[in-house]
């Protein structure tokens, strides 16, 4: 099973979708899927929230070969891209499979990328059909400049989008932000600027031509498998986590046995700390959303590294405190509690 394509086109396929790769906590999505059907080589990537598919049309001699699909692991994308950059762009590269490998070969050299042969990648065609099925074909379908879309990232906000008609600006709204962007007048999809959504779907017949094919919902994509105590990666996620922890701790506190003072104290402290963290984060986000986002991201990395307790000790010392005395006092407190419980136990 193999197809041929020039080196430059392979690089373009990778570059078009690599920004949509899922993180390491969704193993099946942590890479780029190469998918060959009867007419095209596709590069596909998804992070659960977005999905992108780029394609390269096979020449007549390559068509109708046996279909195959393999996922290039994210860790191998950088060395693969560097290998491609080292080749002349017009060189022909053959992409083929062997057991546990995806093989990229030019007339002079080759690169073997380890892959899992039978990975169950989400049915990206069905997912796109599921999204398209929710959009009326008469829906306004303006063309936009992808480079201009990136400008909205600096709003540090969740934006809502309202599209009016094909040749008019669309509007964006955030909590403290409003804007608009004009469409781009070009014939990149469809036969002309009046191309409809239905005509655009027709350019991808292998996905959208058969209305009887299965459709899937992107809400059912694989979930992240994060370490249990990892911090949320964004401010909204962190807010949700802290509020959940506050409510859960309160519920645990109310349900704890009245004589289990240790458990009650732990639940109370957890709830107070979660609520305090929420209040501080909310205030920081109001004052400086960009700084709040950076703090949350940095916190996630620190918790993932696992050395935050050692850092807290060092910070306490530098602030003029005595963490050893804290440790000794707490140890003595625990000893007194243990002695008290032992004395309250009835004699055997």
């Amino acid at each position: 099973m193999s197809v041929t394509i020039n080196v430059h086109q392979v690089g373009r396929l990778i570059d078009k979708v690599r920004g949509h790769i899922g993180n390491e906590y969704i193993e099946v999505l942590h890479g780029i899927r190469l998918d060959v059907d009867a007419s095209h080589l596709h590069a596909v990537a998804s992070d659960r929230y977005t999905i992108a598919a780029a394609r390269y049309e096979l020449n007549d001699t390559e068509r109708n070969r046996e279909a195959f699909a393999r996922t290039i692991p994210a860790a191998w994308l950088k060395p693969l891209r560097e290998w491609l950059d080292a080749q002349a762009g017009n060189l022909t590269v053959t992409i083929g499979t062997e057991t546990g490998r995806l093989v990229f070969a030019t007339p002079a050299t080759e690169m073997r990328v380890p892959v899992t042969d039978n990975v169950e990648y989400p049915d990206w065609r069905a997912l796109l059909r599921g999204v398209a099925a929710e959009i009326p074909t008469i829906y306004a379908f303006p063309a936009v400049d992808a480079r201009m879309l990136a400008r909205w990232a600096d709003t540090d906000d969740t934006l809502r989008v309202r599209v009016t008609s094909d040749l008019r600006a669309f509007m964006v709204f955030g909590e403290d932000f409003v804007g608009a962007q004009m469409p781009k007048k070009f014939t990149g999809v469809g036969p002309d600027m009046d191309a409809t959504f239905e005509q655009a779907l027709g350019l991808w017949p292998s996905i959208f031509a058969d209305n009887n094919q299965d459709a899937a919902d992107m809400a059912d994509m694989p979930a992240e498998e994060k370490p249990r105590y990892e911090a949320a990666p964004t401010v909204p996620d962190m807010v949700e986590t802290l509020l959940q922890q506050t409510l859960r701790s309160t519920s645990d506190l109310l349900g704890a046995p009245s004589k289990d003072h240790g458990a009650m104290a732990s639940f109370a402290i957890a709830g107070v700390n979660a609520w305090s963290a929420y209040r501080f984060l909310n205030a920081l986000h109001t004052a400086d959303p960009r700084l709040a986002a950076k703090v949350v991201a940095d916190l996630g990395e620190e918790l993932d590294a696992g050395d935050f307790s050692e850092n807290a000790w060092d910070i306490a010392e530098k602030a003029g405190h005595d963490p050893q005395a804290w440790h000794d006092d707490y140890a003595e407190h625990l000893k007194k509690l243990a002695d008290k419980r032992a004395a309250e136990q009835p004699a055997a």
Side-chain angles (χ1 to χ4, degrees), residues 92-321:
T92 296
V93 57
T94 300
I95 304 175
T97 62
E98 59 184 36
T99 303
R101 295 288 186 274
L102 195 58
V103 183
F104 298 80
T106 68
T109 184
E110 65 180 33
M111 183 173 184
R112 282 179 158 79
V113 176
V115 298
T116 302
D117 291 332
N118 298 317
V119 63
E120 294 185 5
Y121 197 82
D123 187 343
W124 60 273
R125 292 176 174 84
L127 289 168
L128 290 173
R129 284 194 292 269
V131 175
E134 301 294 326
I135 306 173
T137 54
I138 60 173
Y139 193 79
F141 193 47
V144 297
D145 188 327
R147 293 164 296 185
M148 288 187 180
L149 290 177
R151 299 178 184 180
W152 302 112
D154 290 332
T155 62
D156 287 322
D157 209 340
T158 299
L159 298 179
R160 302 196 69 169
V161 179
R162 180 67 173 95
V163 177
T164 54
S165 62
D166 290 352
L167 300 180
R168 302 292 296 175
F170 64 83
M171 295 197 71
V172 297
F173 296 86
E175 182 179 356
D176 295 301
F177 186 87
V178 65
Q181 179 175 324
M182 281 296 293
K184 183 178 177 66
K185 295 184 178 181
F186 80 113
T187 56
V189 292
D192 52 47
M193 267 308 295
D194 295 325
T196 65
F197 181 63
E198 186 175 21
Q199 288 172 315
L201 295 181
L203 299 176
W204 293 77
S206 64
I207 299 177
F208 302 109
D210 187 352
N211 293 330
N212 295 320
Q213 290 178 298
D214 291 338
D217 190 337
M218 285 189 66
D220 298 327
M221 292 282 276
E224 294 180 331
E225 298 180 0
K226 294 182 179 180
R228 183 177 177 185
Y229 300 108
E230 185 191 353
T234 67
V235 171
D237 290 338
M238 178 64 81
V239 167
E240 180 181 7
T241 297
L242 293 174
L243 292 178
Q244 283 185 355
Q245 182 60 55
T246 301
L247 296 176
R248 288 173 182 171
S249 298
T250 302
S251 178
D252 290 338
L253 175 61
L254 295 175
S258 58
K259 293 184 178 181
D260 192 345
H261 301 296
M264 293 181 67
S266 296
F267 295 142
I269 291 171
V272 169
N273 287 344
W275 180 250
S276 300
Y278 161 73
R279 293 286 287 150
F280 285 125
L281 178 58
N282 189 52
L284 178 59
H285 185 260
T286 301
D288 191 337
R290 189 185 295 272
L291 179 58
K294 183 178 186 305
V295 169
V296 169
D298 290 346
L299 175 62
E301 293 181 2
E302 291 167 359
L303 293 182
D304 188 49
D307 57 356
F308 51 90
S309 59
E310 292 89 342
N311 292 338
W313 186 286
D314 294 338
I315 292 171
E317 287 185 327
K318 290 178 181 178
H321 302 295

Side-chain angles (χ1 to χ4, degrees), residues 77-97:
L77 289 172
K78 185 174 185 292
L80 174 60
R81 198 63 183 86
E82 290 174 346
W83 179 81
L84 291 169
D85 287 341
Q87 317 301 317
N90 62 347
L91 274 180
T92 296
V93 57
T94 300
I95 304 175
T97 62

Side-chain angles (χ1 to χ4, degrees), residues 261-262 327-345:
H261 301 296
H327 175 273
D328 295 341
D329 290 344
Y330 188 58
E332 181 63 22
H333 170 69
L334 294 178
K335 183 177 183 301
K336 288 180 180 179
L337 287 178
D339 292 342
K340 181 180 179 181
R341 293 193 187 98
E344 291 174 348
Q345 293 294 325

